Amino acid sequence: MHLQQVVDPNMPTIFVVTPTYTRLTQRADITRFVNTIKHVEKMHWIVIEDSEHPTEAVRELMAESGIPGTQLYTKTPENSEKKDGMERFQYHRGVDQRNLALNKIAAMGDKNAIVYFADDDNTYSLEVFDEMRKTERVSVWPVAFVGGQKYERPIVVDGKVKKWHVSWHPERTYPTDMASFAFHSSLLHTGRVPQFSHEWRQGFLESGFLEQLLDSPEDLEPRGDNCTKILVWHTRTMDVNIKREAKLRAEPFIKV
Ligand SMILES: *[C@@H]1O[C@H](CO)[C@@H](O)[C@H](O)[C@H]1NC(C)=O
């Protein structure tokens, strides 16, 4: 006998925000990612390509997934030469794409939703989506295989985040990975839509963003048994060696 699944009408929608770009392993990564998120109820998938135009590959993968979603695109500008007296400045991949998604979600106006930045090459337990669905303001949990450690995690004392198990720039206010938090859509409607900035250094994006959402790390809601469970792994797809490919006649009709 099957248990009848009853979707609670008050259950918040999860907006999963996935920046992506064209590469040899993109279809493999997105296929694996879809095989995870297609099990998540009541979600809307926002995919933002780092591109001057939307691609057929992403349109097709999104359509085949059957997941309700929105395909967006914006190209990260090329880095310009650093001028004398200028602060270190770099156009970071993912900044414009996530900002576009935040503005889009804000414009959609759903006041009962959760927003999660989920790259297409990480590994996600389904439990992390159940956990983030409880978010009132901002939830946080550990992420494995980041920062040169087995895992990074907030250290929770009496239900509050007091410290961080992090060795890379632990002085950041929120020294945590993009995949380690989710926030309530109400935080997009308190005035200016929170955004990422190219002026922040690589690795400081998460902290800069969270500083706009919260006053202190103690406002974070620890998930995953008070941040003692790994629910997300920062996995990477290996670089594929195709150096023998040039020796063969190309087969343009086979899609990889
Ligand atoms: C987290 O810690 C708080 C405070 O010690 C405790 O009340 C709560 O039951 C814990 N939650 C879980 C899921 O372990």
Side-chain angles (χ1 to χ4, degrees), residues 101-163:
L102 289 164
N103 291 333
K104 176 72 181 177
I105 297 166
M108 288 166 85
D110 190 337
K111 302 278 165 56
N112 183 32
I114 310 299
V115 183
Y116 182 47
F117 299 116
D119 289 349
D120 56 12
D121 54 353
N122 290 337
T123 304
Y124 303 89
S125 67
L126 294 177
E127 195 182 340
V128 79
F129 297 96
D130 296 334
E131 285 289 283
M132 74 178 73
R133 192 112 49 186
K134 304 170 191 163
T135 303
E136 290 175 19
R137 294 183 72 197
V138 184
S139 290
V140 71
W141 49 81
V143 174
F145 312 150
V146 276
Q149 300 182 189
K150 277 199 278 188
Y151 54 82
E152 289 181 345
R153 76 178 191 99
I155 295 173
V156 178
V157 181
D158 296 334
K160 299 272 183 208
V161 174
K162 295 286 186 189
K163 290 190 294 185

Side-chain angles (χ1 to χ4, degrees), residues 158-159 225-226:
D158 296 334
D225 291 353
N226 284 319

Side-chain angles (χ1 to χ4, degrees), residues 34-47:
V34 162
N35 286 344
T36 301
I37 60 170
K38 67 168 40 156
H39 299 287
V40 179
E41 288 174 310
K42 230 181 154 182
M43 67 158 279
H44 187 101
W45 188 24
I46 306 228
V47 182

